[in-house]
Amino acid sequence: MRVFDFNSAIVRIPGKSVVNGLRAHAGPPPVFEKVLAEHAAYVEALRAAGVRVTVLEALEQFPDSVFVEDPELVFGEAAVLLRPGAPSRLPEAEVLAPALAERFPRLLRVSEGHVDGGDVLVTPRGALIGLSARTDQPGAADLRRLLASMELPARVVSTPRGTLHLKSDCALVDDETVLATAELAHSGLFDGFRVLTVPEEERAAANAVRVNDVVLVRAGCPRTAELLTRHGMRVVQLPVAEIARIDAGLSCMSLRWFDPRVAG
């Protein structure tokens, strides 16, 4: 089974407080109604790709809780509760724990340092855990230990200075190919992979998501869409302009896994 074969996902509806989500850059906050519309389009795209989506209620006390992949990672055999690097997000993992306990045979917990799910790229050769503004060495090492208990090899890597998350700048698009910004493409991080480099003016499009037989890509990035299409990919473009105002993108809005109990 391919690492991007999914039949199940969890998302959370944005709360009105999402307009107060974390932002590293100045600019106007997102418009709540537009965030809702972008999130709804994302959910429909997952369903159209063949994924059964569980939609959780909004959590107003956690503005960034719509980004469910940062406090957790999920695999067929276990869910891993992480320790987000932003203090305001640290409680989110335990809030999600009951929903995960209903769906996974094991819950594992990172107990050292800090690590965000946005810094973990799973490939057929193992996982890459990126050190970033939100993930530190103790957190990455503890996560690596937990992944080893699931027989998933992992490697801790550095990300370019100023990178919020590893997956802000890259995505796996097939078993042998990674989409990446120029900095990551030339870093040696993906030696042994084919690398498709996004145009500099479309660098945000590197945060794409392969789901079954489609690649979800940020709308408004035509050169990247064309690059992937030429590579033989079926591309679905999704609007995330409002969500991007709070330093987020496509990968962080869902927890995705293959559940053999719902296969077919």
Side-chain angles (χ1 to χ4, degrees), residues 92-116:
E92 289 183 32
E94 291 298 336
V95 173
L96 254 174
L100 299 179
E102 295 177 1
R103 294 166 173 83
F104 295 90
R106 288 198 296 163
L107 287 186
L108 306 176
R109 286 175 167 81
V110 169
S111 57
E112 304 288 338
H114 297 281
V115 58
D116 275 20

Side-chain angles (χ1 to χ4, degrees), residues 1-122:
M1 181 178 299
R2 304 173 301 180
V3 297
F4 41 76
D5 284 334
F6 307 117
N7 64 5
S8 303
I10 291 175
V11 304
R12 187 180 295 282
I13 296 174
K16 292 181 179 179
S17 62
V18 72
V19 300
N20 300 315
L22 294 169
R23 289 192 289 160
H25 304 287
V31 177
F32 172 63
E33 291 77 12
K34 292 182 179 180
V35 172
L36 272 182
E38 291 179 354
H39 188 265
Y42 177 80
V43 171
E44 287 309 307
L46 290 176
R47 289 174 171 152
V51 178
R52 185 181 69 172
V53 182
T54 298
V55 181
L56 304 179
E57 292 299 317
L59 290 175
E60 293 294 350
Q61 65 270 44
F62 297 112
D64 295 285
S65 57
V66 61
F67 308 123
V68 290
E69 193 190 47
D70 288 327
E72 263 85 17
L73 290 175
V74 294
F75 304 90
E77 65 271 34
V80 183
L81 277 62
L82 305 176
R83 288 176 51 81
S88 63
R89 303 202 64 188
L90 194 55
E92 289 183 32
E94 291 298 336
V95 173
L96 254 174
L100 299 179
E102 295 177 1
R103 294 166 173 83
F104 295 90
R106 288 198 296 163
L107 287 186
L108 306 176
R109 286 175 167 81
V110 169
S111 57
E112 304 288 338
H114 297 281
V115 58
D116 275 20
D119 281 313
V120 183
L121 179 70
V122 178

